[in-house]
Amino acid sequence: QVQLVESGGGLVQPGGSLRLSCAASGRTFSIYAMGWFRQAPGNEREFVATINWNGRSTYYADSVKGRFTMSRDNALNTVYLQMNSLKPEDTAVYYCAAQYGSSWFTSASEYNYWGQGTEVTVSS
């Protein structure tokens, strides 16, 4: 079992930045691929970013590519999502997810473990 707790959400103006964190506890963190997803009101949960077990490979949704950066620190059992140049359409609840495996995954159905989410609001 893996427990995930997100933090770092909040209200930010368009063009601003936020860094989300996801702290993991439980089984060996380094053998899990990690992902970030988001869900805006009335929308389905959508893929944002994913990272493989050692942090050397990442993949991003086209909507965030070049603005968001995902990273991980296995010594701290934590993954991060640095979000820059934020837009109102980035407003959503952001979820951290984990799945056992060395590669990364882009589909929500591939992840077995989820955090409770942290809310991000981009508004002036």
Side-chain angles (χ1 to χ4, degrees):
Q1 292 290 330
V2 176
Q3 292 78 44
L4 304 172
V5 178
E6 303 96 334
S7 62
L11 173 65
V12 63
Q13 292 186 342
S17 298
L18 279 177
R19 188 176 81 156
L20 305 184
S21 299
C22 172
S25 60
R27 299 186 64 181
T28 306
F29 175 71
S30 61
I31 59 175
Y32 285 81
M34 303 294 295
W36 284 100
F37 290 77
R38 66 187 182 186
Q39 187 167 16
N43 290 357
E44 294 185 355
R45 191 168 298 189
E46 65 172 357
F47 165 76
V48 174
T50 183
I51 192 166
N52 75 328
W53 70 278
N54 63 9
R56 293 177 182 174
S57 180
T58 54
Y59 186 79
Y60 300 91
D62 287 343
S63 59
V64 307
K65 200 172 295 182
R67 300 188 298 123
F68 291 10
T69 302
M70 186 173 185
S71 60
R72 68 189 296 163
D73 186 334
N74 286 346
L76 297 178
N77 287 0
T78 302
V79 293
Y80 305 96
L81 185 68
Q82 178 66 42
M83 306 186 296
N84 299 328
S85 302
L86 282 161
K87 305 175 182 180
E89 51 263 44
D90 294 318
T91 295
V93 176
Y94 283 71
Y95 297 91
C96 173
Q99 175 57 20
Y100 181 85
S102 61
S103 184
W104 41 250
F105 308 95
T106 61
S107 172
S109 63
E110 296 176 294
Y111 288 88
N112 285 336
Y113 305 102
W114 292 86
Q116 294 299 308
T118 184
E119 189 167 1
V120 172
T121 302
V122 184
S123 176
S124 55

